[in-house]
Amino acid sequence: MLKLGIIGTNWITGQFIAAAEETQQYTLTAVYSRHEDTARKFAEDNHHPEVALFTDLNKFWASSAFDTVYIASPNSLHGPQAVAAIKAGKNVIVEKPMVASTSQLHQLTDALAAHPDAFLFEAARHLYEPNFAMVRDFARQREISGATLVYMKYSSRYDAYLAGKEPNVFTTRFAGGALMDLGVYVVYAALDWFGVPQHAQYVPSMLASGVDGSGCLHLDYADFGVNLIFGKTTQSYLPSEIYSGKQTLVLDAPESITSIKLRGGADDRELAGPQDDNPMVREASFFAKAIATNDTQARDKQFALAKQVHELMISVRMAAGIHFPADDE
Amino acid sequence: MLKLGIIGTNWITGQFIAAAEETQQYTLTAVYSRHEDTARKFAEDNHHPEVALFTDLNKFWASSAFDTVYIASPNSLHGPQAVAAIKAGKNVIVEKPMVASTSQLHQLTDALAAHPDAFLFEAARHLYEPNFAMVRDFARQREISGATLVYMKYSSRYDAYLAGKEPNVFTTRFAGGALMDLGVYVVYAALDWFGVPQHAQYVPSMLASGVDGSGCLHLDYADFGVNLIFGKTTQSYLPSEIYSGKQTLVLDAPESITSIKLRGGADDRELAGPQDDNPMVREASFFAKAIATNDTQARDKQFALAKQVHELMISVRMAAGIHFPADDE
């Protein structure tokens, strides 16, 4: 049984704890927050009033109250906290995006090299869903002619941004913006399904705060092109599509695939299976099993993909002129 | 009654003749083809065996058998033939794209300046459809937050291209490719609905023949971005979308709008009206009325938009490294 500590006390942390406990491989034992009241309330709300509470990160890392940490702080803190966790000998599950800059990626890679026994996973939950795997099989078995992947949602925080506030996800300080927050899902899907492109180009629509509100990321492969469309300032109802000659696989946003249909042929039955109630159970289960069985091969394979995702995201972001304070660390 | 001569003997010419005659403002009187047999068969197939047939372009232009020409030759010939028609004193209806290069655009503009009485229209038929006008009203009355416009169809000629043949629409020689053939519809829609963007960038997926098989054209406006997605090598079922705050107008491809729904509000009724059986009747009627009433204002307004469309298309195409022989004329 993994003893789980968490950083970040928003809804996604609650969802991960529920998923982790559903696998029966984890139990919540430690909560970090900058404010003790927040930590206590979070522990109580998540049915664990007994856990150790921390307001000091150094004491948190030094504690033996937990062996595995789930990090869901603001984006710009993911990388440094993951590095600290590795150095403290913890297993690490870090939310997407796991790093916000080249230097963060290097520091994380260096920390892992120095701690070859450490387990680190980026919580790219959609990779572990059966419907995602079904699309992967299609993409890898068919000759692909292109794809259009869309994930564009009006963010509940955008109203606050428009009202003059500075929600983390719309600031460069916390490495926010459309690419970092939603784009990461479709970049993951594209690289998992089609591999690393020969060339990539990001054309963002910028907000005054310096982050991208939406954008189109074009991936150029040897024989086809893939358009990734994502944004946090508008609400899209577009499905996604993968093209194979005259046929088209139509699915919904890759972050949560509920429908898969092959059009342009004789048979356009629904191919998707039902989704899990909690979409984080599969990843939690995968991570726990890899840790329990010391499956370094699974770990390294997932990290190699994560590294490709972030190398691409950092490179297209910087080429598009989007700059984070994390780039100067 | 306008006396109609035609260049180009493919299906679209037949469709235009049917539309023109349905308006009762035109009658077919002359057919040009490089081959007399083709011209004769086309005249017969279109119920006008009596019309004058031409195989020599100079004789065609010099003839008084017609006063109005509809040009539907390969793309690279549209501009030069339109110029010749103006110089011959004809009214001109030229298929999209009306020019294939900067020099063709300049020559056309110069010819019009030298013949201020001449009437020239680019046959951007979708502009004249009531459903297109309904979307225009929405786009101009609402505060716009962005749009995704899609027109991506597997071309029947692509099979021939893949088999090693050289269909005109897949050659640089005839100024083919996705932008020129399908992109022009969505560029027209974007410029009509949102105006001229501050910046535009085209990211194509290239074919070995040197034309773009598909691509994503991003238009950057002061407060929002528009993604235009089009292609001739894959089949998309994606609708198009225009964003306005939390609401989204969902429509089908702007070249032929059969459905318009406003989502994200209380009422998502179908807003589109029925389409005409022949989608070219409205434009044929508009052109005939403008010519009959000497409406130079309508003519100049449409040409100003056409010029914006082609200035943008030429500029993004050249920036993307797509080169036509027409660029060197």
Side-chain angles (χ1 to χ4, degrees):
Chain A
M1 182 74 79
L2 296 168
K3 290 191 287 177
L4 183 65
I6 58 107
I7 301 184
T9 52
N10 51 29
W11 66 268
I12 201 172
T13 318
Q15 188 179 42
F16 184 78
I17 292 167
E21 299 205 321
E22 189 176 326
T23 69
Q24 304 190 332
Q25 306 293 315
Y26 304 76
T27 184
L28 183 67
T29 55
V31 170
Y32 165 83
S33 173
R34 282 177 300 165
H35 307 289
E36 187 164 352
D37 286 353
T38 309
R40 179 171 298 111
K41 182 166 189 318
F42 184 85
E44 286 166 359
D45 287 351
N46 286 275
H47 319 297
H48 281 283
E50 79 288 359
V51 302
L53 305 180
F54 297 86
T55 56
D56 180 319
L57 260 183
N58 290 327
K59 289 182 186 163
F60 180 68
W61 296 129
S63 165
S64 60
F66 68 102
D67 51 51
T68 302
V69 66
Y70 170 72
I71 300 171
S73 49
N75 293 342
S76 59
L77 305 178
H78 291 173
Q81 290 176 347
V83 168
I86 291 164
K87 290 181 177 169
K90 308 296 185 188
N91 305 310
V92 187
I93 299 164
V94 56
E95 260 308 327
K96 308 163 295 297
M98 73 178 182
V99 291
S101 66
T102 298
S103 68
Q104 286 193 1
L105 180 57
H106 286 168
Q107 285 168 39
L108 185 58
T109 311
D110 290 349
L112 288 171
H115 297 80
D117 295 338
F119 269 72
L120 175 134
F121 289 104
E122 186 175 25
R125 61 166 170 72
H126 54 324
L127 295 192
Y128 304 95
E129 294 182 0
N131 289 337
F132 190 95
M134 190 181 294
V135 178
R136 175 191 293 135
D137 290 343
F138 177 90
R140 294 188 182 176
Q141 287 160 15
R142 291 291 196 108
E143 191 169 331
I144 296 302
S145 332
T148 310
L149 307 183
V150 186
Y151 188 24
M152 205 172 213
K153 270 172 68 176
Y154 190 96
S155 165
S156 57
R157 311 292 172 85
Y158 190 50
D159 288 329
Y161 173 81
L162 291 175
K165 291 174 189 159
E166 293 187 344
N168 295 347
V169 292
F170 284 102
T171 66
T172 57
R173 180 176 166 215
F174 288 112
L179 175 64
M180 292 295 273
D181 262 26
L182 300 190
V184 63
Y185 287 94
V186 282
V187 173
Y188 246 112
L191 267 56
D192 185 80
W193 294 341
F194 313 121
V196 176
Q198 296 180 331
H199 181 69
Q201 188 169 1
Y202 185 40
V203 190
S205 291
M206 300 299 295
L207 299 181
S209 73
V211 304
D212 47 329
S214 66
C216 179
L217 171 53
H218 184 86
L219 308 181
D220 201 16
Y221 292 85
D223 297 323
F224 58 90
V226 170
N227 290 312
L228 309 181
I229 297 175
F230 42 85
K232 297 175 66 65
T233 59
T234 58
Q235 184 70 29
S236 176
Y237 301 89
L238 295 176
S240 294
E241 294 184 334
I242 300 175
Y243 312 110
S244 177
K246 292 174 186 175
Q247 294 196 314
T248 302
L249 196 74
V250 182
L251 49 142
D252 35 21
E255 66 91 26
S256 177
I257 300 170
T258 61
S259 172
I260 304 172
K261 287 184 178 178
L262 184 61
R263 297 189 62 172
D267 179 3
D268 63 352
R269 270 177 310 167
E270 177 60 59
L271 302 173
Q275 279 196 305
D276 300 327
D277 289 338
N278 185 330
M280 302 177 92
V281 173
R282 303 260 178 182
E283 62 170 353
S285 176
F286 182 94
F287 303 151
K289 188 179 167 197
I291 292 167
T293 60
N294 196 37
D295 187 349
T296 54
Q297 205 178 339
R299 172 196 71 180
D300 296 346
K301 186 178 167 213
Q302 299 309 93
F303 187 74
L305 176 60
K307 201 157 169 275
Q308 290 171 343
V309 164
H310 290 286
E311 283 168 349
L312 188 140
M313 294 207 351
I314 294 164
S315 123
V316 299
R317 174 177 63 77
M318 296 190 77
I322 303 171
H323 184 265
F324 294 151
D327 293 319
D328 306 325
E329 279 168 8
Chain B
M1 183 73 78
L2 296 168
K3 292 192 288 177
L4 183 65
I6 59 107
I7 300 184
T9 51
N10 51 28
W11 66 269
I12 201 173
T13 319
Q15 189 179 40
F16 184 78
I17 292 167
E21 299 204 322
E22 188 176 327
T23 69
Q24 304 190 331
Q25 306 293 313
Y26 304 76
T27 185
L28 182 67
T29 55
V31 171
Y32 165 84
S33 173
R34 282 177 299 166
H35 307 289
E36 188 164 351
D37 287 353
T38 310
R40 179 170 298 111
K41 181 166 190 318
F42 184 84
E44 286 166 359
D45 286 351
N46 286 277
H47 319 297
H48 281 284
E50 79 288 359
V51 302
L53 305 179
F54 297 86
T55 55
D56 180 319
L57 260 184
N58 290 328
K59 288 182 186 163
F60 180 69
W61 296 129
S63 163
S64 59
F66 68 103
D67 52 49
T68 302
V69 67
Y70 171 72
I71 299 171
S73 49
N75 293 342
S76 59
L77 305 178
H78 291 172
Q81 291 176 347
V83 168
I86 292 164
K87 290 182 177 169
K90 309 296 185 189
N91 304 310
V92 186
I93 300 164
V94 56
E95 260 308 330
K96 309 164 294 297
M98 72 177 181
V99 291
S101 67
T102 299
S103 67
Q104 287 193 359
L105 181 57
H106 286 168
Q107 285 168 39
L108 185 57
T109 311
D110 291 349
L112 289 170
H115 297 80
D117 295 339
F119 269 73
L120 175 135
F121 289 104
E122 186 175 24
R125 60 168 170 71
H126 54 324
L127 295 192
Y128 303 95
E129 294 182 1
N131 289 337
F132 189 95
M134 189 181 293
V135 179
R136 175 191 292 134
D137 290 344
F138 177 90
R140 294 188 182 175
Q141 286 161 16
R142 291 291 195 105
E143 191 169 329
I144 296 302
S145 331
T148 310
L149 307 183
V150 186
Y151 188 24
M152 205 171 213
K153 270 172 67 176
Y154 190 96
S155 165
S156 57
R157 311 293 173 84
Y158 190 49
D159 289 328
Y161 173 81
L162 290 175
K165 293 174 189 159
E166 294 187 344
N168 295 347
V169 293
F170 284 103
T171 67
T172 57
R173 180 176 167 215
F174 288 112
L179 176 63
M180 291 296 273
D181 262 27
L182 300 191
V184 62
Y185 286 94
V186 282
V187 172
Y188 247 112
L191 267 56
D192 185 79
W193 294 341
F194 312 121
V196 175
Q198 296 179 332
H199 180 69
Q201 188 169 359
Y202 183 41
V203 189
S205 290
M206 300 300 295
L207 299 181
S209 73
V211 303
D212 46 328
S214 66
C216 179
L217 171 54
H218 185 86
L219 307 181
D220 202 16
Y221 292 85
D223 298 323
F224 58 90
V226 171
N227 290 313
L228 309 181
I229 296 176
F230 42 83
K232 296 175 66 64
T233 58
T234 57
Q235 184 70 30
S236 174
Y237 301 89
L238 295 175
S240 294
E241 294 184 333
I242 300 175
Y243 313 109
S244 177
K246 292 175 187 175
Q247 294 195 314
T248 301
L249 196 73
V250 182
L251 50 142
D252 35 22
E255 65 92 24
S256 177
I257 301 169
T258 61
S259 172
I260 305 171
K261 288 185 179 178
L262 184 61
R263 298 191 61 172
D267 180 3
D268 62 352
R269 271 177 310 167
E270 177 57 66
L271 302 173
Q275 279 196 304
D276 300 328
D277 289 338
N278 185 329
M280 303 177 92
V281 172
R282 304 260 178 183
E283 62 170 351
S285 176
F286 183 94
F287 302 153
K289 188 179 167 197
I291 293 168
T293 59
N294 196 37
D295 188 349
T296 53
Q297 206 177 337
R299 173 197 71 181
D300 296 346
K301 187 178 165 213
Q302 298 309 94
F303 187 74
L305 176 59
K307 201 156 168 276
Q308 290 170 344
V309 164
H310 290 286
E311 282 167 352
L312 188 140
M313 294 209 348
I314 293 164
S315 122
V316 298
R317 173 177 62 78
M318 295 189 76
I322 303 170
H323 184 266
F324 294 152
D327 293 319
D328 305 326
E329 281 168 7

